[in-house]
Amino acid sequence: MFELFISNPLVLMMIEVLVICIKVVVVTLVVFSLPLPLTYIERKVAGHIQVRLGPYRVGPHGILQPLADMIKLIFKEDIIPYKADPWLFKIAPIIAMVPAFAVFATIPFGEKVTIPFIDKEVTLYISDMDTGILYVLAIAGLSVYGIILGGWASNSKYALLGGLRSSAQMISYELALSFACIGVVMVVNSLSLVDIVRAQSGWHWNILYQPLGFVIFAIAGLAEINRIPFDLPEDEGTLGAGYHAEYSSMRFAFFMLTEYVAMVSMSVLMVILFFGGWDGPGFLPGIVWFLIKVAFIIYVIIWTRFTYPRYRYDQLMTIGWKILLPLSLLNILITGLVVI
Amino acid sequence: MNGNHYNLNLKDILKKVFFVDLIQGLFITFNYTFSKTITLRYPDEEKWIPYRRFRGLHTLNRNKEGKELCVGCELCQKSCPTQCITVVPMQDKTGKGIADRIAYRWEINLLRCMFCGLCEDACPTEALKLGREYELANTSMQRSLWTKEELLAAQEIPVEFDGGVIVRARLERDDKGLKVIPDMSVQKRWW
Ligand code: SF4
Ligand code: SF4
C-alpha cells in the first residue's frame, strides 16, 4: 500500500516540492541566524588581537551578547530623518538584504545525501543552475543598490558619500572579481558551481592552478563585501558611519545582516571556486570539510580587519583599475595559453 | 633612502608583490590573539588591592589594648579643607580628666571629602588613617555619612598586607548596593 502511494507520480512531485521548500527554509533560517555568532566571533577576535577580552559579561564569556544586542536593536526607536525620502528609506535595507540571501539559491554545500527512513536522495543545494557562477556574481552585485538608495534617501551628506563610494568601488572591483572567476571557468570548462567543485575533487584544487586568480579574487572579494582594508563606504574616520549613518533600530540591523551574509557568501564562493568545495580527506563527511574551510576563511577575513588600516579612496581606485584589472586580464591570458 | 619613492630596488618590489609586509603584520596580530589579556575582570572575578599609601575610606585605629587612639582634639576637623569632619569631644567615665578625653561623636561626610589626606597628617595620635577601601558608591546619601563605630571596625584588607596586587574576588549584591569581596589567597601581579 505504502509502496503504491510513494510511486504515484503526483505524490512524487509533491515530495519534490516539499523537499525544495524545506531546503529553502532551512538555508534561509541558517543564513539569517549566522550573523549572531559572527558578530560575537568578530568581537572576540578583535578583543584578543587588541589584548582585551571582548564581550565578557552577558552569559559565560559573553556568549549571550549577540542576543542582548539583537533585543536592544529591536526595541530601539526607528528614526526616519526629517526631509528623508521615507519610502526609499524604508525599502533600501530590504533591497540590500534580499540579494544577499538569494545568492544562496545556487550555492552547493555538498554532494547528494540519502536521508534515512524514507530512503530518499537529497541534493545539498537548492538548484544547480548551468550558469550558477554568473547568477551568483550578478545577484551579489545587486546588493549595492540597497546601499546607494539608503545613502540617497537619508538626505545626509555622509550617507550619500558612502553610497557613492560604494557604487564606484563595486564597479571597479566587480570587473576584477569576474575576470578572476573566468580563469577558474576556463580551467574547469563549466559555469555550474557543482561542476566546478566536482572538477576539483582529489586535491586538484583550483588554488594550485590559479594562484594569481586566487589573489585577485581574494582582494576584489574583500572590496566587494566592504571589509577592511576596503571598507570606504562606512569609513568611520571620514564619513561618520557611511551609508547607514542615519539608520537605526531594525533597519540598521538589516544592513548589518547584509554585510555579514555577504561575508559568508564570499567565503563560500571562495571555497567553491578555489578550495575544492567539499573535497577533503574521507574521514569526515564532505559538508563538514566545507564548513571548516568556510569558517577558516571567515576567520581570516576578520583577522585582516583588525590588522590592516584602511586604504585611501584614490589608492582604492588605483589598485582596482591600474593593478587588479590588468592582472586579471593577464591571468586570463596565461590560463588561455596554458589550457590550449 | 634618498626620499625618492619611485626608486625601488628589486628587493622592495618582490616584497610588495608577495605581500611580505602584510603577511608579517598578520603574524603579529596572530601572536597577540593568543597572548595574555590585560583586562582586569573587575568586579566579577578580580579586584585591585591598592598599596598602603592609597587614600581611601578613613579608619580610626585603636592601640594594642584596644583603646581608641583618637583623643577628640578636633585637629582633623580644623584642618579639613572641605569641612566634612565633625568631632564632638567628651570625657569618658573613668574620671581621669583630660588624659582620657575621647571623641563623643566622630562623623565624616564622604560626599564632600576629596581624600586629600590632610586630616590624616594633622592627627597627633595617629588615630586617623586613610585606608584602602574604595568601593564607596551606594544608593542613598545617608549611607555616605560614616560614624565613629563604623570607622573603628576593622577594615577588610589587613594593614600588614602589602597591596599592589590583583586578587580573586566575587561580586555580591544586596539591598545596600554592590560589594566586591576579595579573596586574598589567590593573587597575581598586574601584567
Ligand atoms: S581627606 Fe581631606 S577632605 Fe577628606 S576628611 Fe580628610 S582633610 Fe577632609
Ligand atoms: S582623629 Fe586625630 S585629629 Fe581627629 S580628633 Fe581624633 S585625635 Fe584629633
Side-chain angles (χ1 to χ4, degrees):
Chain A
M1 184 63 203
F2 184 69
E3 297 290 313
L4 210 69
F5 175 71
I6 210 107
S7 55
N8 184 329
L10 196 69
V11 172
L12 272 180
M13 206 182 79
M14 293 281 279
I15 289 180
E16 279 306 310
V17 172
L18 198 68
V19 165
I20 287 185
C21 287
I22 290 175
K23 280 197 282 200
V24 169
V25 169
V26 167
V27 167
T28 314
L29 281 184
V30 168
V31 173
F32 211 85
S33 53
L34 260 184
L36 286 185
L38 280 181
T39 49
Y40 175 73
I41 291 167
E42 177 144 25
R43 290 174 66 180
K44 270 292 183 197
V45 171
H48 282 276
I49 282 179
Q50 295 161 358
V51 208
R52 299 182 284 115
L53 283 169
Y56 201 76
R57 297 212 55 187
V58 191
H61 283 259
I63 195 98
L64 298 178
Q65 186 70 45
L67 283 181
D69 286 345
M70 194 179 75
I71 293 172
K72 183 197 83 174
L73 277 173
I74 290 175
F75 284 102
K76 278 216 158 184
E77 189 188 350
D78 181 13
I79 299 167
I80 297 179
Y82 174 64
K83 279 191 177 168
D85 184 333
W87 197 75
L88 276 185
F89 190 84
K90 281 178 193 161
I91 208 169
I94 315 281
I95 295 181
M97 192 172 71
V98 170
F101 281 88
V103 164
F104 283 87
T106 54
I107 300 269
F109 297 95
E111 279 290 355
K112 289 191 178 70
V113 291
T114 317
I115 292 182
F117 308 122
I118 54 168
D119 237 13
K120 170 140 181 52
E121 283 213 323
V122 178
T123 51
L124 284 183
Y125 39 84
I126 296 173
S127 83
D128 174 19
M129 281 187 208
D130 289 336
T131 54
I133 189 164
L134 273 185
Y135 169 83
V136 168
L137 289 177
I139 295 288
L142 279 183
S143 262
V144 75
Y145 282 106
I147 293 177
I148 299 169
L149 286 181
W152 170 256
S154 302
N155 197 4
S156 141
K157 292 180 192 71
Y158 290 144
L160 181 60
L161 278 175
L164 284 181
R165 279 183 180 189
S166 179
S167 55
Q169 180 173 331
M170 202 60 78
I171 291 171
S172 348
Y173 281 81
E174 188 91 36
L175 281 174
L177 191 80
S178 320
F179 281 148
C181 294
I182 288 180
V184 173
V185 170
M186 284 164 84
V187 171
V188 173
N189 240 332
S190 167
L191 279 169
S192 145
L193 290 176
V194 181
D195 286 346
I196 290 178
V197 174
R198 282 192 192 132
Q200 298 178 64
S201 61
W203 299 102
H204 292 294
W205 292 5
N206 275 335
I207 186 171
L208 304 175
Y209 301 105
Q210 291 276 318
L212 181 60
F214 169 69
V215 171
I216 295 168
F217 187 89
I219 296 174
L222 271 184
E224 187 80 1
I225 56 176
N226 296 338
R227 297 287 300 194
I228 275 186
F230 302 108
D231 69 335
L232 283 142
E234 43 188 307
D235 176 354
E236 310 90 69
T238 55
L239 289 186
Y243 64 89
H244 54 60
E246 305 293 340
Y247 279 88
S248 57
S249 181
M250 273 325 272
R251 298 188 206 286
F252 168 74
F254 283 160
F255 273 128
M256 277 288 115
L257 197 74
T258 312
E259 302 224 322
Y260 279 104
V261 173
M263 180 164 91
V264 174
S265 58
M266 195 49 73
S267 321
V268 165
L269 209 57
M270 204 181 283
V271 168
I272 288 175
L273 292 182
F274 293 99
F275 290 98
W278 52 83
D279 181 37
F283 57 88
L284 282 179
I287 178 101
V288 176
W289 280 115
F290 186 79
L291 292 181
I292 288 175
K293 290 174 195 171
V294 172
F296 178 73
I297 290 184
I298 288 178
Y299 173 71
V300 172
I301 292 177
I302 294 175
W303 180 15
T304 47
R305 166 161 182 199
F306 295 100
T307 304
Y308 300 142
R310 179 182 296 121
Y311 279 109
R312 235 171 33 223
Y313 192 64
D314 57 323
Q315 290 172 330
L316 174 93
M317 284 294 146
T318 314
I319 295 171
W321 290 106
K322 290 193 189 158
I323 301 177
L324 285 187
L325 190 60
L327 272 184
S328 54
L329 287 173
L330 183 73
N331 184 45
I332 293 177
L333 186 71
I334 297 172
T335 317
L337 289 178
V338 172
V339 167
I340 292 167
Chain B
M1 292 300 122
N2 52 10
N4 184 351
H5 294 290
Y6 301 101
N7 191 4
L8 291 169
N9 57 28
L10 186 67
K11 202 175 140 212
D12 287 347
I13 292 174
L14 283 181
K15 254 183 154 179
K16 268 218 163 108
V17 169
F18 290 104
F19 303 113
V20 175
D21 295 339
L22 296 185
I23 290 168
Q24 274 173 352
L26 278 180
F27 274 109
I28 288 173
T29 46
F30 189 76
N31 284 341
Y32 273 118
T33 313
F34 296 103
S35 66
K36 218 175 101 204
T37 167
I38 57 164
T39 305
L40 176 61
R41 268 158 271 187
Y42 178 80
D44 289 322
E45 292 171 27
E46 293 169 336
K47 178 177 179 175
W48 165 253
I49 304 293
Y51 294 98
R52 270 205 209 99
R53 58 175 181 258
F54 190 80
R55 296 203 296 255
L57 176 64
H58 305 62
T59 44
L60 288 173
N61 295 327
R62 298 172 189 266
N63 66 6
K64 287 200 188 66
E65 288 89 51
K67 192 177 165 312
E68 292 166 30
L69 279 171
C70 172
V71 292
C73 67
E74 300 175 47
L75 279 179
C76 48
Q77 177 183 348
K78 297 255 160 38
S79 69
C80 175
T82 63
Q83 295 171 1
C84 57
I85 303 179
T86 315
V87 184
V88 176
M90 67 165 248
Q91 281 183 308
D92 72 354
K93 298 183 185 70
T94 57
K96 282 190 199 156
I98 202 78
D100 276 341
R101 198 171 125 132
I102 60 164
Y104 165 61
R105 252 177 76 202
W106 200 107
E107 276 177 9
I108 176 162
N109 180 358
L110 285 184
L111 293 169
R112 298 179 63 173
C113 174
M114 58 184 177
F115 300 98
C116 61
L118 288 181
C119 50
E120 181 182 13
D121 289 347
C123 181
T125 60
E126 297 195 346
L128 184 58
K129 177 96 182 59
L130 262 57
R132 286 186 270 187
E133 180 72 26
Y134 56 83
E135 284 148 355
L136 300 172
N138 55 51
T139 48
S140 130
M141 296 267 230
Q142 211 56 44
R143 287 280 311 150
S144 286
L145 204 67
W146 289 67
T147 57
K148 188 172 117 179
E149 284 67 38
E150 291 164 312
L151 297 176
L152 274 169
Q155 287 229 332
E156 203 165 33
I157 304 157
V159 193
E160 305 82 53
F161 194 75
D162 256 339
V165 288
I166 293 171
V167 297
R168 172 161 317 157
R170 91 193 118 83
L171 179 67
E172 280 206 353
R173 297 157 201 263
D174 56 21
D175 43 343
K176 279 202 196 108
L178 304 175
K179 196 100 193 69
V180 184
I181 295 156
D183 167 11
M184 303 296 195
S185 56
V186 187
Q187 302 175 5
K188 75 173 193 193
R189 293 261 150 202
W190 206 344
W191 294 81

